[in-house]
Amino acid sequence: MRAAPLPGSNSESIRRDNLSVVLREIHLAGQRSRSELVALTGASGCGKSTLLQLIGGLDHPQSGEIWIDDVCVSSLRRPVTMRRHDVGFVFQLHHLLPALTAQANVELPLVAQHTPKAERHKRALEALEAVDLADRAHHTPSELSGGERQRVAIARAIVHGPRLLLADEPTGALDAASAALVLQLLDDLRTERKMTVIVVSHDPRLGGHADRLLVIEDGVVYRVDLTKMAVDGQVTYRPKRSAVAGLAKLLPLMAGAARPEAEQ
C-alpha cells in the first residue's frame, strides 16, 4: 500500500507572493447516499482545522469550490443560513453557556431557526436521549463531567438535523474512557441519522470507526488504505518532514484497529 495524493495534487512550493498557502489542490468527494465517517489527521498547523472551516462555510477559499450536495458553499453570500440547517460543529472545548441547562444549550441552534418553543423542547430532549443524557437535561455544565459536557455539545450539533457533522479534536480534552465513548457515539450517530461525519483527531482509536483516513502534509491531502494497511502490517506512506514523522507510528495503530478481521 502507498498513500497517494488525491487527484490534482502537486509538489509546488507552499509559499507564493509572501503568503503562506495552507491547503492547495485538494479534491475530496463523499458519497451522497452513504453515512460515512472520515478521519483527518496530520501535524499541528498543517491545515486540518482550516479545511473543516472551509467545508463548513466559516472561511472562504482563495480559489476552487466547495459543494455540499447541490449547494456550492464557497459561492454563498450568506453561508450562515446553510450552516444553521445543514452543518453541525463539535470542537475540542464544549463551549456550553454556563448559566443554561443542558437542554437550553442544546436548543440554541433551534432558537436561531425561530423554531416554536414546544418543538425546541421536544427536539432537544430527543437529541439528549441520542447521547444518553436525557436524565441530565436540567443540569448546568458545572454539574456535568467533562465527557458529559462534550456529549451535550454533540447533542447541540445534531439537534437541527444536519447532513454534515464536523468535529475538530472532539476527544482532545477528555480522559481515555470519555474519549472512547465520544468516538463510539459519533460512529453510532452517523448511521442512525444518516449523515457524514468528518473528525480531526490524533486519537488512534478513531481508526476503529473510520471509513476513510486522510492525512494532510505540505498542504496536500493523502488518502490511506486502511484495509491494505491491516493486511500488510506495514506503513509505506513516509512523511517527508520530521514534524510529522510521528504519523508513521500512529497510522499502523489506526489501521490495525480499523480492520482487524482482514488479518484472518
Side-chain angles (χ1 to χ4, degrees):
M1 181 283 303
R2 179 170 179 80
L6 298 184
S9 300
N10 55 48
S11 58
E12 68 183 45
S13 171
I14 63 170
R15 294 190 64 87
R16 294 196 299 265
D17 300 327
N18 295 321
L19 296 175
S20 294
V21 178
V22 179
L23 299 168
R24 56 196 170 85
E25 299 292 341
I26 288 180
H27 295 251
L28 294 175
Q31 296 183 23
R32 185 173 186 175
S33 60
R34 182 183 178 189
S35 300
E36 186 178 27
L37 195 153
V38 180
L40 180 64
T41 190
S44 297
C46 71
K48 302 183 300 294
S49 296
T50 298
L51 182 56
L52 288 194
Q53 291 167 9
L54 289 168
I55 294 171
L58 294 175
D59 204 348
H60 191 79
Q62 290 179 310
S63 63
E65 296 179 335
I66 298 169
W67 291 76
I68 298 179
D69 287 342
D70 297 326
V71 178
C72 183
V73 177
S74 50
S75 67
L76 294 175
R77 296 185 63 182
R78 286 182 51 82
V80 64
T81 302
M82 178 273 301
R83 291 196 300 269
R84 286 176 179 172
H85 293 87
D86 298 324
V87 182
F89 292 92
V90 180
F91 302 99
Q92 181 172 337
L93 300 179
H94 53 79
H95 297 300
L96 300 178
L97 297 183
L100 299 183
T101 64
Q103 179 178 340
N105 269 286
V106 173
E107 288 183 23
L108 290 176
L110 302 179
V111 172
Q113 291 183 1
H114 307 291
T115 304
K117 187 174 182 179
E119 179 68 12
R120 291 203 312 264
H121 291 347
K122 176 177 177 291
R123 291 172 63 179
L125 287 174
E126 289 174 347
L128 286 169
E129 179 67 34
V131 300
D132 199 24
L133 284 177
D135 60 336
R136 309 285 277 170
H138 302 296
H139 290 69
T140 60
S142 64
E143 299 172 314
L144 302 174
S145 69
E148 288 174 333
R149 292 182 202 127
Q150 191 66 309
R151 284 152 61 195
V152 172
I154 293 173
R156 180 183 59 193
I158 65 172
V159 70
H160 57 298
R163 293 175 287 174
L164 176 64
L165 182 64
L166 304 175
D168 194 352
E169 294 283 3
T171 63
L174 302 179
D175 59 70
S178 296
L181 185 60
V182 165
L183 291 178
Q184 184 61 56
L185 177 60
L186 292 173
D187 195 352
D188 294 341
L189 287 172
R190 58 85 175 248
T191 302
E192 295 168 3
R193 296 192 169 236
K194 295 180 173 57
M195 61 183 177
T196 296
V197 179
I198 303 177
V199 184
V200 165
S201 180
H202 292 98
D203 191 329
R205 288 166 298 190
L206 180 58
H209 305 278
D211 298 297
R212 281 194 286 169
L213 171 60
L214 306 179
V215 180
I216 298 181
E217 181 183 272
D218 290 338
V220 177
V221 173
Y222 293 83
R223 182 169 50 235
V224 179
D225 190 325
L226 291 171
T227 303
K228 290 184 179 179
M229 286 178 64
V231 173
D232 299 340
Q234 300 291 329
V235 181
T236 55
Y237 165 67
R238 291 289 181 258
K240 293 180 291 183
R241 297 182 299 164
S242 59
V244 292
L247 286 175
K249 297 180 180 179
L250 174 65
L251 296 180
L253 293 175
M254 300 185 81
R259 300 289 187 270
E261 68 278 6
E263 296 181 350
Q264 299 177 358

